[in-house]
Amino acid sequence: MGRGAGLELAELDRAVLTARAREPGSRGLRARIVLAWAEPGSSGRLVADQLGISRRTADGWRRRYAGRGLAGLEDAPRAGRPKAVLELDDAEREQLIRWSRRATTAQALALRARIVLACAAGRENLQVAGELGVSAGTVAKWRARFIAKRLAGLADEPRPGRPPSILLDKVEDVITATLEETPPDATHWSRTSMAARSGLSRSTIGRIWRKFDIKPHLTSTFKLSTDPFFVDKVIDVTGLYHHPPQKAVVLCVDEKSGIQALDRSQPVFPLIPGVPERRSHDYTRHGTTDLFAAFNIADGTVIYSLGPHHRAAEFREFLARIDQAVAAGLDIHLVCDNLATHKTPATRAWLARHPRFHMHFTPTGSSWMNQVERWFAYLTTQILRRGVHKSVQALETDIRTWIQHWNANPRPFTWTRTAEQILESLARYLIKISPAAQQTAHELTAETSGAGH
């Protein structure tokens, strides 16, 4: 069979190749190449033009198939050198663990220590690379460096260039002081105060902080839930979002209490080119109202109720409104927070008389898991924050009008994170902020693995 000649396929080979041709990637492409060669009047140029490949690629896979059949289309196993066994003594293991945990350690050295510890645990290079977010070549490099030079092999090799004017111990002192101390007259360091303490210039302090991504001037808030059933509730609520039950409606329920009817002390100055809308900082309050809302996760519609209070009695009245609004024959699953009004004896008695209601509670301090909170944020930014209302009635009218517009064009939210991802993220955060929290993080990871089965 000369160069450019077509191929004759057995019926069995044709059936196998036709099935493979529908697969993505190189395996499917090779099958399509052979099938194209089997067409009457085929040639290397026609096959290459048809599949958008080079003539050399088309000829190569024709020859592979002609010589070995279907086996010729498979990747040949690649030879490689066996990896040397990596073992640690107790002193090396302790030092590597200290390097991987110390906040003052350079992040590059901490990563190398984690690579060696993972390799010493018997993991393959590809597995370690996937866990730590690095390439397999990086893992192989530091595995080999450690085996050859032990702990000294993890240090950076000397590089050509002008020697640094600031010694490493001075840099470490600045980093340690920034992370572990506070100035006597402030809650956090500034470049000026750290420069005065260390004897370095303000610009040098700034470069050190940028190098290690330290920002003392920034702060953020957090709240870790203390709910003893945190894991169970996360799995329950996220499972409800990802796999809602059949013949049922899932509603995220909460109340936005104390919505204020605010009237500015002076008229609002409208938006003009170059100048934003302006309003006075002081205001007169004309009363408050409370909003109960039930957000349907399937279609984004909202059932709501406005009133002067948000007690348990009003919550039961709102449950009755939901019961009337949802079609008979459908179960109702409510996602609520742990507010006391949701669990009073009278509320539980009402729920017992209405068995189609099923309550699901978010973990304590984890209202972000309730989708209606995101809907409340839309309400706040679009109508409440910049609204001017001279009475509670005017405020309630605006809220009703806005909700009616929303229900005319509802927008459901898409919940993407699984329970496993949430708990793994929390475990990583606990390890990052405190090595002492590693046991709790491992327990979370173990419970997550159990939940996946």
Side-chain angles (χ1 to χ4, degrees), residues 83-101:
K83 296 187 298 294
V85 177
L86 195 159
E87 296 180 350
L88 303 175
D89 59 34
D90 292 340
E92 289 174 334
R93 187 180 299 278
E94 290 178 4
Q95 181 62 60
L96 289 169
I97 292 174
R98 284 197 296 270
W99 281 349
S100 67
R101 291 179 178 176

Side-chain angles (χ1 to χ4, degrees), residues 69-271:
L70 293 176
L73 303 184
E74 302 295 337
D75 288 319
R78 298 181 180 180
R81 291 177 299 175
K83 296 187 298 294
V85 177
L86 195 159
E87 296 180 350
L88 303 175
D89 59 34
D90 292 340
E92 289 174 334
R93 187 180 299 278
E94 290 178 4
Q95 181 62 60
L96 289 169
I97 292 174
R98 284 197 296 270
W99 281 349
S100 67
R101 291 179 178 176
R102 282 181 59 198
T104 56
T105 302
Q107 289 304 300
L109 180 59
L111 175 61
R112 296 165 196 170
R114 289 194 288 270
I115 289 174
V116 174
L117 288 170
C119 291
R123 297 184 178 89
E124 296 294 329
N125 287 1
L126 287 175
Q127 183 181 1
V128 175
E131 292 176 356
L132 299 180
V134 297
S135 68
T138 299
V139 176
K141 170 186 174 181
W142 293 110
R143 174 196 283 268
R145 287 274 295 270
F146 181 83
I147 291 174
K149 300 181 180 180
R150 311 308 293 178
L151 292 174
L154 301 186
D156 286 319
E157 296 178 344
R159 299 182 181 182
R162 182 175 66 87
S165 58
I166 304 173
L167 299 179
L168 290 179
D169 58 346
K170 198 69 173 177
V171 174
E172 183 175 5
D173 177 62
V174 169
I175 300 300
T176 302
T178 306
L179 297 177
E180 300 177 3
E181 301 176 13
T182 57
D185 57 345
T187 59
H188 60 279
W189 292 101
S190 65
R191 291 197 304 170
T192 300
S193 59
M194 181 54 69
R197 179 198 178 280
S198 63
L200 302 175
S201 67
R202 294 172 64 251
S203 60
T204 299
I205 298 298
R207 286 196 299 272
I208 294 174
W209 283 350
R210 283 194 299 273
K211 178 69 175 178
F212 291 90
D213 196 24
I214 296 176
K215 302 173 181 178
H217 64 289
L218 294 182
T219 183
S220 62
T221 59
F222 76 97
K223 182 176 179 62
L224 295 178
S225 175
T226 57
D227 196 322
F229 302 104
F230 176 81
V231 174
D232 294 335
K233 291 180 178 179
V234 168
I235 294 172
D236 178 39
V237 174
T238 56
L240 200 63
Y241 290 160
H242 286 289
H243 306 288
Q246 299 292 326
K247 296 183 179 180
V249 174
V250 179
L251 301 175
C252 293
V253 176
D254 202 0
E255 52 267 14
K256 187 173 182 62
S257 58
I259 304 174
Q260 302 180 84
L262 301 180
D263 181 21
R264 300 293 165 177
S265 61
Q266 298 179 20
V268 175
F269 291 170
L271 170 72

Side-chain angles (χ1 to χ4, degrees), residues 15 49 61 66 71 78 131 198 211 326 351 377 382 394 399 415 431:
D49 292 344
W61 290 111
R78 298 181 180 180
E131 292 176 356
S198 63
K211 178 69 175 178
V326 176
L351 292 170
Q382 295 183 11
I399 292 175
W415 187 273
I431 292 175

